[in-house]
Amino acid sequence: VKCVEVFREFYQTKTKHRKLTWIYSLGTCNLSGKFNPKSMELIVTTYQAAALLLFNSSEKLSYAEVKSQLNLTDEDIVRLLHSLACAKYKILLKEPNTKSVTQTDCFEFNANFTDKMRRIKIPLPPVDEKKKVIEDVDKDRRYAIDASVVRIMKSRKVLSHSQLVTECVEQLGRMFKPDFKAIKKRIEDLITREYLERDKDNPYMFRYLA
């Protein structure tokens, strides 16, 4: 957390108009696993490391306790607990001993775990994180375009399509380069939601509906 905060402060000194999004599932961490047969080095993701470190202070944890302490979605919790308790390397023991993770399961550190290698990489099933980030960015941009169009029309009252698009691009240019098609779509959506209306005599003129 300290590293994240330090970098965020540094990033904000460079730009005020861009949003920093962390993709924690792409991070890696090397843990020292102290098992009864021998100590081993575990190469895991940031999420897996956070989950395993919980067992330094607790012998046994329920699914709900892991979720509460990590503050992740059920989808993420199931993926990471499955990778640690149900896959090739069973670093955690699960009750009941089944091949799937449910919200009633309990987990404990497998002190007797061993492997012929002294250094093992524990994979986490992939998720299309990039796609999710792109979807979030698109959603933020839709909100920004809506707000810009409404702001412009509120002050100008009546405006042509080309003037509205030009002013919107100018307003949003510091944050991102808006796509003309995206602006057109947002204008249509705002008409549907009755923020704007087309002029009855000229379909390329818009009026603000107070």
Side-chain angles (χ1 to χ4, degrees), residues 13-123:
T13 64
K14 300 294 178 186
T15 175
K16 290 282 187 289
H17 305 294
R18 295 190 178 187
K19 183 180 174 186
L20 197 60
T21 303
W22 294 91
I23 306 178
Y24 293 105
S25 60
L26 297 182
T28 57
C29 191
N30 290 33
L31 295 184
S32 175
K34 302 201 183 309
F35 303 99
N36 290 337
K38 64 180 180 184
S39 291
M40 298 172 66
E41 186 179 353
L42 310 176
I43 304 166
V44 292
T45 68
T46 308
Y47 282 171
Q48 288 171 316
L52 288 173
L53 290 171
L54 298 178
F55 292 88
N56 277 348
S57 50
S58 302
E59 285 186 15
K60 199 171 196 177
L61 290 167
S62 67
Y63 176 100
E65 287 168 329
V66 173
K67 183 183 176 185
S68 169
Q69 292 195 58
L70 294 185
N71 196 26
L72 295 174
T73 63
D74 283 307
E75 184 186 3
D76 284 328
I77 295 290
V78 168
R79 280 175 63 242
L80 75 90
L81 287 176
H82 186 277
S83 72
L84 297 170
C86 306
K88 181 180 178 182
Y89 303 115
K90 293 179 173 56
I91 310 300
L92 300 179
L93 297 174
K94 185 176 84 69
E95 289 179 15
N97 185 16
T98 57
K99 290 187 176 180
S100 60
V101 173
T102 68
Q103 296 185 13
T104 55
D105 291 346
C106 286
F107 302 85
E108 62 180 294
F109 179 65
N110 182 7
N112 293 318
F113 173 81
T114 190
D115 190 83
K116 61 182 180 182
M117 307 294 287
R118 285 203 168 268
R119 192 169 186 258
I120 58 171
K121 184 173 184 178
I122 303 170

Side-chain angles (χ1 to χ4, degrees), residues 19-21 133-147 172 175-176 186:
K19 183 180 174 186
L20 197 60
T21 303
V133 170
I134 289 170
E135 285 172 358
D136 288 345
V137 168
D138 284 345
K139 190 194 292 181
D140 287 345
R141 289 184 176 183
R142 285 200 300 273
Y143 291 148
I145 293 170
D146 284 0
L172 297 170
M175 296 165 65
F176 63 94
R186 299 321 303 156

